[in-house]
Amino acid sequence: MIKLPGLIDPHVHLRDPGGTHKEDWDSGTAAALAGGFTTVCAMPNTTPPIIDAAALEMSLTAAAQKARCDYGVYVGATLENVDSATTLAKRVVGKKMYLNGTFGTLKMEQLDAIVAHCASWPADKPLLAHAEQHTCGAAILAAHLAGRSIHICHVSRAEEISLIRTAKDKGIKVTCEVGPHHLFLCLDDVQRIGTGRAEVRPMLATASDRDALRANLEVVDCFATDHAPHLLSEKDSPAHPPGYPGLETALALYLDLVHAGIITIDDVIDKCYTQPRRIFNLPEQPNTWVEVDPDATWVVRGADMQTRAKWTPWEGTTLRGRVERVVLRGKVAYEGGHVLAQPGTGRLIS
Ligand code: DOR
Ligand code: ZN
Ligand code: ZN
């Protein structure tokens, strides 16, 4: 048995408010605990989106009633909230800019708006971007010119990790995360998973993009699941929204990289705890840890998961490494397949 700190997932979509048939603060934080995560940071592309005080209040009220692990929320950037988002800075983990189209309505492409959001947001608060290909370059430059740091979400391509490496080498303040699906899946897997189910943003890339991420893990500051639950009925419909649930398979996949000799267990702690705590200014959770059997094998079954999505792109796969017990602030929150922490016991971190 190995003992890890309470893991942090800085990038999840919990659909509360507005999409609670897919996930809510209760089911999403239950999935987090089952996966070994004691802190999650939730993205603002809910319905309504978290772009003003009223929507933030809705999200935080629901979270206070339902969350089973600790949590924070991001505010989303729009053309209209360049100044008003800043008034919410103390209550959120950071601000998220969506520079490419994805699930939900939050997309902001205009260069002047990106520049303005970089300038207006407090320099000591995290600024994040969904920024693929050209917009990755735009986001890094706009933040650099504003004299501030930026965090690039779910890097998926060789050209992006290469650009980030070069920017870091030049002393530019950029950090980045990679998701388990972009480390383990590529376009060659789409047919097996199914077209609708495989849909995700950023889309699965080529095998050489996937390999470039694996070869540049020292440039990757942290891991983040981008847990994006949608029901199978939605994934299998013509509209097939993008995203995979990821909280309950992530740690076993990270441990697979350890078993394969690609990273060490200390790297997992660094990328799932130390670096996310540093980048997102997260407080310590006293008396909090995760007990993991690194060699226990289990067969992935979406139907057995805590997430309301009840499916996974790893259905039927045998993974090695299982969360046995999670202790959050001195109390057993998860043990032997059961979530014991009650709704409302999670705390707001900001
Ligand atoms: O695949 C994705 N799903 N990528 C995103 O950027 C958003 C997410 C969602 O909210 O479903
Ligand atoms: Zn995204
Ligand atoms: Zn996301």
Side-chain angles (χ1 to χ4, degrees):
M1 200 70 80
I2 53 173
K3 198 171 160 185
L4 302 177
L7 305 181
I8 297 163
D9 191 343
H11 188 151
V12 300
H13 298 268
L14 298 189
R15 314 300 188 203
D16 197 349
T20 55
H21 64 289
K22 299 172 193 272
E23 202 79 291
D24 71 355
W25 279 105
D26 177 349
S27 61
T29 53
L33 288 169
F37 297 94
T38 54
T39 304
V40 290
C41 303
M43 287 294 161
N45 62 336
T46 47
T47 313
I50 313 301
I51 53 174
D52 54 29
L56 178 61
E57 200 55 48
M58 282 176 75
S59 174
L60 292 180
T61 300
Q65 288 164 358
K66 296 189 243 179
R68 298 172 188 257
C69 72
D70 293 353
Y71 60 90
V73 176
Y74 297 104
V75 61
T78 70
L79 293 180
E80 286 78 33
N81 74 359
V82 172
D83 296 316
S84 60
T86 303
T87 64
L88 307 176
K90 284 201 166 58
R91 303 173 69 205
V92 299
V93 190
K95 181 166 73 174
K96 172 79 179 277
M97 302 190 292
Y98 283 91
L99 309 185
N100 304 92
T102 182
F103 185 67
T105 54
L106 289 178
K107 183 181 172 193
M108 191 184 73
E109 297 174 285
Q110 294 81 347
L111 185 58
D112 54 353
I114 299 168
V115 168
H117 270 287
C118 286
S120 68
W121 191 239
D124 60 345
K125 291 291 286 190
L127 178 65
L128 296 77
H130 178 132
E132 304 181 35
Q133 300 182 293
H134 295 83
T135 65
C136 177
I140 293 170
L141 181 63
H144 181 61
L145 295 178
R148 62 154 307 123
S149 63
I150 191 153
H151 179 80
I152 306 297
C153 296
H154 44 49
V155 174
S156 65
R157 296 176 181 89
E159 63 199 24
E160 296 157 355
I161 200 68
S162 162
L163 187 77
I164 291 167
R165 177 185 277 280
T166 308
K168 285 186 173 196
D169 286 347
K170 302 264 182 211
I172 291 175
K173 290 184 280 184
V174 56
T175 56
C176 71
E177 69 189 35
V178 166
H181 45 292
H182 293 123
L183 287 168
F184 282 87
L185 301 174
C186 70
L187 284 169
D188 305 343
D189 297 296
V190 171
Q191 206 178 1
R192 177 179 56 82
I193 297 170
T195 314
R197 297 187 191 191
E199 199 68 64
V200 66
R201 292 292 176 280
M203 190 48 197
L204 296 180
T206 65
S208 64
D209 285 313
R210 179 203 57 200
D211 295 346
L213 299 181
R214 286 174 165 240
N216 285 280
L217 282 170
E218 77 272 17
V219 181
V220 174
D221 296 275
C222 63
F223 291 143
T225 65
D226 198 8
H227 177 81
H230 299 284
L231 301 189
L232 263 190
S233 54
E234 298 164 333
K235 294 293 285 180
D236 290 342
S237 78
H240 45 65
Y244 309 150
L247 282 165
E248 291 165 84
T249 43
L251 180 57
L253 292 165
Y254 304 148
L255 290 173
D256 190 85
L257 297 172
V258 176
H259 293 308
I262 296 168
I263 56 173
T264 65
I265 193 75
D266 286 342
D267 293 328
V268 174
I269 295 170
D270 194 56
K271 289 180 185 350
C272 297
Y273 173 73
T274 313
Q275 295 308 325
R277 255 196 81 193
R278 178 185 67 82
I279 296 166
F280 302 99
N281 302 322
L282 304 179
E284 197 185 347
Q285 293 171 308
N287 295 319
T288 298
W289 68 87
V290 179
E291 293 168 25
V292 177
D293 182 340
D295 292 312
T297 56
W298 55 288
V299 179
V300 179
R301 297 279 174 229
D304 297 339
M305 289 183 170
Q306 301 292 332
T307 176
R308 224 160 258 172
K310 297 285 178 210
W311 79 279
T312 154
W314 282 280
E315 184 72 36
T317 307
T318 299
L319 294 180
R320 185 166 150 213
R322 191 172 59 205
V323 176
E324 301 293 349
R325 200 159 176 258
V326 178
V327 177
L328 173 53
R329 275 181 265 101
K331 285 199 169 148
V332 180
Y334 174 87
E335 187 163 35
H338 301 285
V339 177
L340 303 175
Q342 291 304 303
T345 54
R347 289 193 193 162
L348 176 65
I349 53 183
S350 41

